[in-house]
Amino acid sequence: MFKKFSALCYLRRSYSGDVGKLKAQKYVLTKYFQGEPKTNDFKIVEEGLPELKDGEILTEAHYLSVDPYMRAYMIGYKLPTDMIGGQIAKIIASRNEKYPVGKFVSGSFGWRTHTICDPRKLIGKAGFLPFMLLPDLNPHPASVALGILGMTGNTAYFGLKEICQPKSGETIAITGAAGAVGSHVGQIGKIMGCRVVGFAGSDEKCKYLEKELGFDRAFNYKTVDIKAALKEGAPNRVDCYFDNVGGEISSRIINYMNKYGRVAVCGSISSYNEASLPKVTILQPAIVYNELKIEGFLVDRWINRWEEGINANLNWLQNGKLKYQEKVYHGFDNMVNALIGLLRGENTGKAIVKVK
């Protein structure tokens, strides 16, 4: 009798639409960014939540992602607008038997504490972070589904393999190499038998890339002569370039590439906070003479292959071929500071905010 009662109580908890008086908090962008993001560009709004309908779930944010694209994309939204972004959230109420209370999901819920959604309407849809029910990721924290086993990991996996298509023995150059994507790209490059050269913003980051992640060389772009560093780090020149930053350093690397070189353009973080675009060395002669392929991409191009990337990265992680770091900020009220820190290069690896 007791076992039957316990099972009934669990079922009720797992399949409950009771929201009560719970209220959600969310960040609303009220001013377009001028230079660095600022706290007064946002306001935090509180809103009540309705009772769940059949098929819906209520989630509570545990980890929120902080990514460079957040700085670049908001200009495309009409103000005021809810802040975009991915998060890992715990299901705290459910009227969907496939999504019981206590499980974790990932999704593009934005900067908010609580979200009501219908998983049936989200599965298979493109977004900054596709919706999915997370498997047990122990011994790793659930936050890895924002990084190495999430959008970041798939950006590195598909961007390198599909755009650059490196061959064993080739040389890969990476800017923003100590960031979440760049550090992952370099490790995949080594798995694929390539020489990997990274550029990062401090000596400490470069040491981490070489000693911990196995980069062949890493250079502090703030203190080295880029041309000399390329000659030293890539004596056979560069075959593949994974570009996270743009700017003059990208022009230097592209002008140092081999014939039929491939460039995957992932981002341009060097200019996100600038009022005007930087002037850089012209690229067209190098592109034409060396017949280079340069292609920008958004990772949701591979939404139909999303699990392929996750499973490949998980396999490498479980076999000790991938490592990761997280820069963890604490508290929902610290979201803006986390974004500012990311854009200043405070992070090594993935930047996240732990809500609780």
Side-chain angles (χ1 to χ4, degrees):
M1 178 66 74
F2 177 75
K3 288 183 179 180
K4 183 181 290 187
F5 177 76
S6 297
L8 181 60
C9 289
Y10 175 78
L11 181 60
R12 286 174 176 168
R13 290 197 304 272
S14 299
Y15 190 72
S16 170
D18 184 16
V19 174
K21 296 181 179 179
L22 186 65
K23 292 187 177 181
Q25 288 186 311
K26 64 179 181 179
Y27 279 80
V28 175
L29 185 69
T30 59
K31 300 177 184 176
Y32 290 120
F33 301 129
Q34 298 292 326
E36 279 191 342
K38 302 174 185 62
T39 302
N40 62 10
D41 294 333
F42 301 86
K43 64 177 179 179
I44 297 179
V45 175
E46 193 174 80
E47 62 181 16
L49 297 171
E51 291 298 307
L52 297 186
K53 299 175 183 176
D54 284 341
E56 291 184 334
I57 62 174
L58 169 64
T59 69
E60 181 178 58
H62 277 231
Y63 299 99
L64 279 80
S65 185
V66 185
D67 301 284
Y69 74 80
M70 295 174 176
R71 172 61 180 82
Y73 281 25
M74 297 314 296
I75 192 66
Y77 292 82
K78 184 178 179 180
L79 300 182
T81 187
D82 293 357
M83 188 60 184
I84 60 176
Q87 63 171 256
I88 303 302
K90 188 175 184 178
I91 301 172
I92 60 173
S94 174
R95 293 194 66 185
N96 188 317
E97 294 178 346
K98 294 181 179 179
Y99 294 85
V101 168
K103 292 290 188 177
F104 284 87
V105 296
S106 61
S108 298
F109 299 152
W111 289 11
R112 57 182 298 124
T113 58
H114 297 84
T115 303
I116 290 176
C117 66
D118 187 337
R120 298 170 299 183
K121 298 178 181 179
L122 298 178
I123 294 293
K125 301 291 185 182
F128 299 107
L129 182 64
F131 180 88
M132 65 181 295
L133 183 68
L134 298 187
D136 183 2
L137 297 173
N138 282 326
H140 305 286
S143 56
V144 295
L146 292 176
I148 201 166
L149 299 181
M151 183 190 72
T152 298
N154 275 359
T155 299
Y157 176 83
F158 289 112
L160 183 64
K161 292 194 69 176
E162 299 295 323
I163 306 296
C164 287
Q165 299 181 1
K167 304 176 185 65
S168 180
E170 290 189 325
T171 297
I172 302 171
I174 306 163
T175 47
V181 174
S183 59
H184 196 148
V185 169
Q187 293 180 84
I188 296 176
K190 292 305 300 179
I191 291 170
M192 298 179 73
C194 297
R195 180 175 180 83
V196 175
V197 180
F199 291 88
S202 72
D203 292 341
E204 182 179 1
K205 289 180 178 180
C206 292
K207 182 178 180 181
Y208 168 72
L209 293 175
E210 290 186 359
K211 303 298 183 183
E212 294 295 324
L213 302 189
F215 279 53
D216 294 282
R217 289 306 312 271
F219 299 96
N220 184 345
Y221 72 88
K222 296 179 180 178
T223 59
V224 301
D225 177 273
I226 300 300
K227 188 174 181 179
L230 285 168
K231 287 184 177 179
E232 178 185 341
N236 296 321
R237 304 178 81 88
V238 173
D239 301 289
C240 301
Y241 171 37
F242 201 99
D243 183 9
N244 289 305
V245 306
E248 178 61 20
I249 189 171
S250 289
S251 293
R252 293 293 181 92
I253 294 171
I254 289 171
N255 274 283
Y256 191 73
M257 295 187 73
N258 285 319
K259 203 169 185 66
Y260 310 122
R262 289 85 69 199
V263 182
V265 183
C266 181
S268 184
I269 196 172
S270 68
S271 63
Y272 288 163
N273 284 333
E274 301 300 321
S276 58
L277 294 176
K279 293 183 178 180
V280 298
T281 302
I282 192 170
L283 296 175
Q284 281 76 6
I287 295 171
V288 173
Y289 179 75
N290 287 320
E291 300 183 67
L292 305 181
K293 174 185 176 182
I294 300 179
E295 185 173 349
F297 72 95
L298 299 175
V299 70
D300 61 9
R301 180 193 306 186
W302 297 283
I303 184 67
N304 293 330
R305 295 170 58 190
W306 200 258
E307 289 189 9
E308 173 193 329
I310 298 298
N311 289 331
N313 286 319
L314 177 59
N315 181 61
W316 286 328
L317 181 63
Q318 290 174 334
N319 287 296
K321 295 182 178 181
L322 284 179
K323 299 179 181 180
Y324 67 92
Q325 276 199 25
E326 295 178 327
K327 170 66 175 177
V328 182
Y329 298 84
H330 294 272
F332 186 69
D333 59 353
N334 213 18
M335 292 299 302
V336 180
N337 290 331
L339 180 59
I340 293 170
L342 170 77
L343 295 170
R344 289 178 179 177
E346 289 181 359
N347 62 300
T348 297
K350 183 75 183 80
I352 59 171
V353 174
K354 187 174 183 179
V355 179
K356 291 188 173 182

